[in-house]
Amino acid sequence: MSGAAPTAIAPRLLEDALGRRLHYLRLSLTERCNFRCVYCLPEGSEAAAGADPLTLPEIRRLVRAFADLGFWKVRLTGGEPTVRRDVAEIVRAVRETPGVRKVGLTTNGYRLHALAADLRDAGLSSINVSLDSLEPERFRAVTGNARPERVVAGIEAALAARIPVVKVNVVLLRGLDEPEVLRFLEWTRAVPLRIRFIELMETGDNRDFFARARLEAGAVRRILEARGWSQLARTRLDGPAVEYGHPDHAGLVGIISAYDEGFCETCNRLRVTSRGALRTCLFGDEEVPLRDVLQSDADREALVERVRAAVARKPASHLLQLGRCGTTRHLAATGG
Ligand code: SAM
Ligand code: SF4
């Protein structure tokens, strides 16, 4: 039953058919969201989006099984994970799972000023806050009416609470000009923030917007290089960001381009949706239901075996370059 003391089983490391070692779980806590980002949920989340997300006992069982498979890093995402009242409790439960060493959260930052200290106390290792523009008008147009000052206050609260790693996600959209990129860079001069510029990805629901608004990462790369930023050496454990540093800046800048050749070669992650379906690729066609084996501790082995079997079918690569995004209508559904 759920009250049993968690025991760590010696991890049996998980590799897919291409020999990619998987150790990173991205878990969506809800499909619901309080923003209406134009590339994600322009109409807001659907009424049914908040229905029946995984409960805390289900999340505990899920994360224990992944830890059995050698997963040591978990990121909580959505939808907007902070719309769940038990978000800090979930962070604590994940952090206390034997074998888990890092717990991250991706958020739009709207509730962060009030939550940052609780999240830190719960053991959060890193937070990614989305902030696509520092210009109030542009930010409002992207998010469907949010104010950037409120998100900036959340980021400052996360820094003040000493959450160990604070990153800012900026989706690259046409209209982001050099002065605004420079404002983001300036922010890293004295503050140990990591700004990550992310290329817009095409999904089933945003095809027209994607065609109109995509801005290629080269635009930012050129600004970085002209201003004395240099690319840092990568390690095997690095994520998909190509990182840049500058001798006069405390922070770092990363660029994430899912359209780069070889992007999937170092993929180390699996995703679970808020209703407990495993997705082995963000832009894949397959969802493997896990919820039926999350109801009892007695099903732990069955759960582990179901994950293993699905991983054998993990696609070598997404097919975004061909305009194919699998069954992904928007990233709020798959835990972006
Ligand atoms: N609501 C939270 C947030 O916005 O940070 C977490 C979920 S959101 C799906 C996770 C990240 O994916 C955000 O940084 C968001 O900007 C990004 N994102 C969403 N749709 C995207 C798309 N089509 N292309 C690139 N990034 C996207
Ligand atoms: Fe909500 Fe995040 Fe999607 Fe924006 S990107 S609509 S904040 S889930």
Side-chain angles (χ1 to χ4, degrees):
M1 298 306 292
S2 63
T7 47
I9 298 174
R12 295 158 289 172
L13 299 181
L14 190 57
E15 269 186 10
D16 71 1
L18 298 175
R20 291 176 295 190
R21 176 83 50 86
L22 307 173
H23 62 248
Y24 182 10
L25 171 65
R26 287 198 163 208
L27 172 59
S28 171
L29 297 187
T30 177
E31 264 191 42
R32 230 172 88 218
C33 187
N34 47 357
F35 277 19
R36 296 167 171 242
C37 298
V38 63
Y39 47 74
C40 182
L41 295 173
E43 311 295 334
S45 45
E46 288 158 16
D52 208 19
L54 291 180
T55 62
L56 186 57
E58 288 171 328
I59 291 172
R60 278 208 178 91
R61 292 191 191 104
L62 179 85
V63 174
R64 269 187 231 155
F66 274 86
D68 288 349
L69 286 163
F71 280 60
W72 53 268
K73 192 170 163 187
V74 179
R75 174 162 296 276
L76 305 172
T77 177
E80 176 47 42
T82 65
V83 302
R84 274 187 75 153
R85 294 214 172 130
D86 56 356
V87 61
E89 221 180 321
I90 294 171
V91 168
R92 188 178 302 279
V94 174
R95 188 73 183 86
E96 287 174 353
T97 305
V100 172
R101 284 185 268 145
K102 296 226 188 290
V103 185
L105 182 85
T106 303
T107 174
N108 62 29
Y110 190 72
R111 297 195 57 221
L112 189 53
H113 62 290
L115 276 173
D118 285 353
L119 292 171
R120 188 267 331 273
D121 291 348
L124 193 70
S125 331
S126 72
I127 192 155
N128 290 13
V129 188
S130 304
L131 179 61
D132 295 340
S133 178
L134 293 164
E135 308 287 345
E137 276 318 308
R138 274 194 77 227
F139 191 67
R140 230 174 265 141
V142 172
T143 57
N145 218 11
R147 286 183 300 118
E149 308 86 86
R150 179 155 171 150
V151 179
V152 170
I155 293 167
E156 282 167 355
L159 290 163
R162 300 201 178 279
I163 293 174
V165 177
V166 182
K167 299 184 186 175
V168 175
N169 287 357
V170 185
V171 173
L172 292 171
L173 300 172
R174 207 169 277 175
L176 178 77
D177 56 11
E178 179 157 351
E180 194 174 4
V181 171
L182 294 179
R183 275 184 75 193
F184 276 114
L185 300 185
E186 197 49 38
W187 202 1
T188 67
R189 190 178 287 279
V191 183
L193 267 182
R194 301 204 196 171
I195 311 271
R196 292 146 34 111
F197 293 99
I198 303 173
E199 264 188 359
L200 181 65
M201 292 175 259
E202 186 170 3
T203 65
D205 281 3
N206 77 7
R207 291 185 186 280
D208 291 346
F209 179 78
F210 175 84
R212 283 198 309 278
R214 179 181 183 204
L215 175 68
E216 291 195 20
V220 173
R221 215 171 275 135
R222 284 189 288 278
I223 295 173
L224 288 171
E225 284 161 7
R227 303 271 164 169
W229 291 77
S230 40
Q231 199 177 315
L232 305 177
R234 292 172 66 77
T235 75
R236 209 172 51 84
L237 291 180
D238 283 342
V242 176
E243 295 226 84
Y244 289 77
H246 190 292
D248 302 333
H249 289 245
L252 297 173
V253 173
I255 294 186
I256 301 183
S257 173
Y259 290 84
D260 275 358
E261 216 181 306
F263 180 80
C264 300
E265 282 169 12
T266 52
C267 184
N268 56 14
R269 60 198 61 185
L270 294 179
R271 291 183 160 80
V272 173
T273 69
S274 60
R275 293 193 192 93
L278 175 69
R279 289 186 68 106
T280 57
C281 175
L282 179 56
F283 294 103
D285 294 318
E286 193 187 26
E287 283 199 358
V288 177
L290 301 178
R291 202 159 194 179
D292 60 303
V293 280
L294 291 173
Q295 303 313 309
S296 156
D297 291 344
D299 288 330
R300 186 153 157 185
E301 194 61 29
L303 175 55
V304 163
E305 285 317 313
R306 202 174 292 175
V307 174
R308 264 186 199 291
V311 160
R313 302 188 294 272
K314 181 172 163 70
S317 167
H318 64 61
L319 298 171
L320 282 179
Q321 295 87 342
L322 306 176
R324 284 161 57 184
C325 43
T327 52
T328 302
R329 284 178 49 210
H330 48 70
L331 296 199
T334 42

